[in-house]
Amino acid sequence: MPTARLTLDPGFRVGAVDRRLFGSFVEHMGRTVYTGIFQPGHPAADADGFRTDVLDLVRELGVTLVRYPGGNFVSNHRWEDGVGPREERPTRLDLAWRSVESNAFGLNEFMAWTARAGVEPMMALNLGTRGTPEALALLEYANHPGGTAHSELRRSHGVPDPHGIRMWCLGNELDGPWQMGHKTAHEYGRLAAETARAMKRFDPSLELVACGSSNAHIDTFASWEATVLEHTYEFADYISLHAYYDPEGTDADSFLASATGMDRMIDAITATADHVGAKLRSRKRIKLSFDEWNVWYQSRFGGEDSLDWRPAPRLIEDVYDVTDAVVVGSLLITLLRHADRVGAACQAQLANVIAPIMTEPDGPAWRQTIFHPFAQTARHARGTVLRVEPDSPVVETAEYGEVPALWATATHDEESGAIALFAVNRDRTSPLTLTAGLRPFPGARVVEHLVLADDDPGAANTAEHPDRVTPRPVGGTGTDGGALTVELPPASWTMIRLATDPAG
């Protein structure tokens, strides 16, 4: 059997685990909002119309940060339409997803929902069809205590205290010609800098995310970031990255190696940001916000022109299988491996639209396969990411060439002594023996060993069979002679938790 080796050592570190790495995304798209997180009249809805069955799953998923309200939706969105008495809110055409938007759910509903879910908001601004004045009006409405036109408007809407939103996206994917208000890098960079300068004047502690490229394959990739950051470097705290991985857009081995693409994208944008910083002779270091990522069967989507005008259509409701979950686990490993630079990340999206949580109107909610590696990683990745450099056999792929069969990382919480090891075997046909050296952690003992794999890699969860695919516990796993040795099934995701004596 092929063998891979790695060593866990508290002296070799990547960086602290930022809880914002476990973010999600709620866009006014398809059924993410309406009949997803919000459905007045549902048997499980609370007094505000929030589905409590979905809220329970969001808490179990471990989401820490939620980006809102888009996405493509935000680039033609008027925030004023979604506040005030619901019966007075206008119905609009959403040009991004060719749907009818009632605005029954808006800013104040979202903020009430985040409080109920226990998550931090990440608010996106419309810098497509609008600009600095509208962004400042929203900031004043959301964050100023009172005594001004927009803060008093919020108070008249029944929200006496400011929301205190800390993290703001300066637009969305404005490099893309599909975006309402598409701009060149210079046009966007100047507008983003102007808006960011004014927002920082309002509150210097705000954290601002400048738009990076919408994907790594667009012609302007990296040159867009270089130009935008030359304009915004003084004011932006993050540059965004977006990437989706299509199982049907490549061969099976390349799909299982999708994290290689994410890894290279992070390296490229880190290098670009640092180049601009050096050029500007700045000591500041821009962080990365990977605020859209997931598996998406994008080749099945007929494009916006294939949609007709209707409220909350069933849009891009991909059903995920075992292999998809393994890839999601590998992408989470990549984000952790770059914890020194990736300070926030949002899996897109939270409910129904390419989502870990599925719902039916007036019906149940359930976990997709991709729910499980996210939930386990969010729950147990704590403390510091250890620098893990596996020695592994390789898998040959059409898209990435040779890649290591083992993709892994680990975290160590000095306070509790807990270690979490996360590993993916990318080989579709062969199990892999993993030996992890633990000598720097004398007395380490296994607490839990979970594996997500299946003889049928196409198995999925449904409303009728919501627990068809779940991580299964593996018993009898132990350590011997300062090492842990386990077998990783083909095309599998594994988490092993170990206990050690706390530091001090």
Side-chain angles (χ1 to χ4, degrees):
M1 185 184 300
T3 299
R5 294 176 175 83
L6 56 82
T7 299
L8 304 184
D9 191 320
F12 294 93
R13 306 179 177 193
V14 176
V17 179
D18 195 316
R19 301 309 301 165
R20 284 176 169 172
L21 290 179
F22 307 110
S24 190
F25 184 24
V26 167
E27 181 173 2
H28 285 251
M29 174 185 180
R31 296 193 308 114
T32 301
V33 173
Y34 304 111
T35 73
I37 67 171
F38 176 72
Q39 189 189 351
H42 186 278
D46 63 15
D48 292 317
F50 305 148
R51 288 189 55 160
T52 58
D53 55 346
V54 175
L55 279 168
D56 288 343
L57 289 176
V58 171
R59 297 185 192 102
E60 181 186 339
L61 186 60
V63 171
T64 56
L65 174 77
V66 174
R67 184 169 176 246
Y68 176 85
N72 295 356
F73 172 83
V74 78
S75 293
N76 192 46
H77 175 55
R78 294 172 49 88
W79 66 266
E80 304 95 320
D81 291 344
V83 298
R86 194 167 289 161
E87 64 275 9
E88 296 178 10
R89 298 181 191 179
T91 297
R92 303 280 191 191
L93 295 179
D94 166 33
L95 301 180
W97 302 111
R98 288 176 60 87
S99 59
V100 177
E101 173 58 52
S102 71
N103 287 301
F105 186 98
L107 171 65
N108 293 324
E109 286 83 12
F110 173 69
M111 292 305 299
W113 181 88
T114 62
R116 208 74 48 84
V119 302
E120 179 187 359
M122 181 187 199
M123 189 63 58
L125 297 166
N126 178 359
L127 293 188
T129 58
R130 308 187 90 185
T132 304
E134 294 86 359
L136 292 177
L138 172 56
L139 178 60
E140 181 185 312
Y141 180 96
N143 281 15
H144 196 63
T148 64
H150 288 99
S151 61
E152 287 300 321
L153 181 64
R154 182 198 70 244
R155 290 168 61 88
S156 75
H157 294 158
V159 185
D161 298 322
H163 292 307
I165 301 169
R166 310 311 309 157
M167 200 169 195
W168 297 79
C169 297
L170 300 167
N172 175 76
E173 290 189 0
L174 287 158
D175 63 322
W178 58 85
Q179 203 76 196
M180 300 300 106
H182 164 58
K183 293 172 172 57
T184 67
H186 282 291
E187 290 170 338
Y188 167 72
R190 289 187 63 182
L191 175 58
E194 174 187 303
T195 304
R197 182 184 291 108
M199 294 180 73
K200 291 279 190 175
R201 180 69 64 88
F202 174 91
D203 182 351
S205 71
L206 296 178
E207 297 177 74
L208 306 181
V209 183
C211 281
S213 296
S214 52
N215 60 75
H217 306 292
I218 198 164
D219 290 344
T220 54
F221 177 69
S223 65
W224 168 276
E225 283 83 355
T227 300
V228 166
L229 285 173
E230 285 185 2
H231 286 285
T232 62
Y233 205 92
E234 179 183 353
F235 308 107
D237 303 284
Y238 296 81
I239 187 79
S240 72
L241 294 83
H242 292 179
Y244 296 97
Y245 302 95
D246 187 350
E248 297 180 348
T250 187
D251 63 287
D253 291 322
S254 295
F255 176 59
L256 275 166
S258 292
T260 304
M262 176 183 269
D263 190 59
R264 293 175 182 176
M265 187 178 187
I266 292 171
D267 284 343
I269 299 307
T270 298
T272 303
D274 288 349
H275 165 74
V276 175
K279 183 178 177 180
L280 297 177
R281 294 173 174 80
S282 174
R283 295 184 179 181
K284 177 180 178 180
R285 205 164 67 147
I286 295 289
K287 299 193 80 173
L288 276 55
S289 174
F290 217 124
D291 47 48
E292 286 189 34
W293 68 269
N294 206 350
V295 171
W296 177 8
Y297 288 74
Q298 199 164 4
S299 55
R300 295 179 182 177
F301 177 47
E304 292 81 356
D305 292 343
S306 68
L307 307 175
D308 55 10
W309 300 102
R310 65 177 64 182
R314 289 185 181 268
L315 176 63
I316 314 179
E317 299 192 4
D318 288 348
V319 175
Y320 292 115
D321 62 21
V322 173
T323 304
D324 299 328
V326 171
V327 170
V328 163
S330 72
L331 298 173
L332 288 160
I333 287 170
T334 301
L335 294 171
L336 287 170
R337 287 175 64 90
H338 289 279
D340 56 333
R341 293 304 292 268
V342 181
C346 301
Q347 186 187 44
Q349 294 190 17
L350 184 59
N352 293 322
V353 178
I354 51 173
I357 298 171
M358 293 297 293
T359 74
E360 278 298 319
D362 303 317
W366 66 97
R367 307 165 190 82
Q368 292 233 61
T369 61
I370 65 172
F371 182 102
H372 297 293
F374 189 109
Q376 295 296 331
T377 306
R379 183 174 300 127
H380 297 297
R382 302 277 173 169
T384 301
V385 180
L386 301 182
R387 190 171 298 281
V388 173
E389 300 299 338
D391 177 15
S392 169
V394 298
V395 175
E396 183 67 39
T397 72
E399 187 166 349
Y400 303 111
E402 288 187 347
V403 301
L406 174 68
W407 193 235
T409 192
T411 62
H412 174 226
D413 185 354
E414 289 188 6
E415 186 175 342
S416 67
I419 295 172
L421 172 63
F422 305 95
V424 162
N425 178 10
R426 292 161 158 165
D427 195 313
R428 292 185 296 123
T429 58
S430 297
L432 181 67
T433 298
L434 169 61
T435 298
L438 299 171
R439 290 190 183 278
F441 296 100
R445 55 200 179 277
V446 175
V447 174
E448 184 179 32
H449 180 181
L450 292 178
V451 172
L452 196 151
D454 201 280
D455 291 339
D456 177 8
N461 294 339
T462 63
E464 295 75 22
H465 303 284
D467 298 319
R468 166 63 182 84
V469 178
T470 59
R472 58 178 176 82
V474 178
T477 307
T479 60
D480 183 27
L484 166 75
T485 300
V486 296
E487 180 180 313
L488 308 181
S492 65
W493 174 87
T494 294
M495 180 191 73
I496 299 173
R497 294 196 298 123
L498 301 106
T500 67
D501 294 330

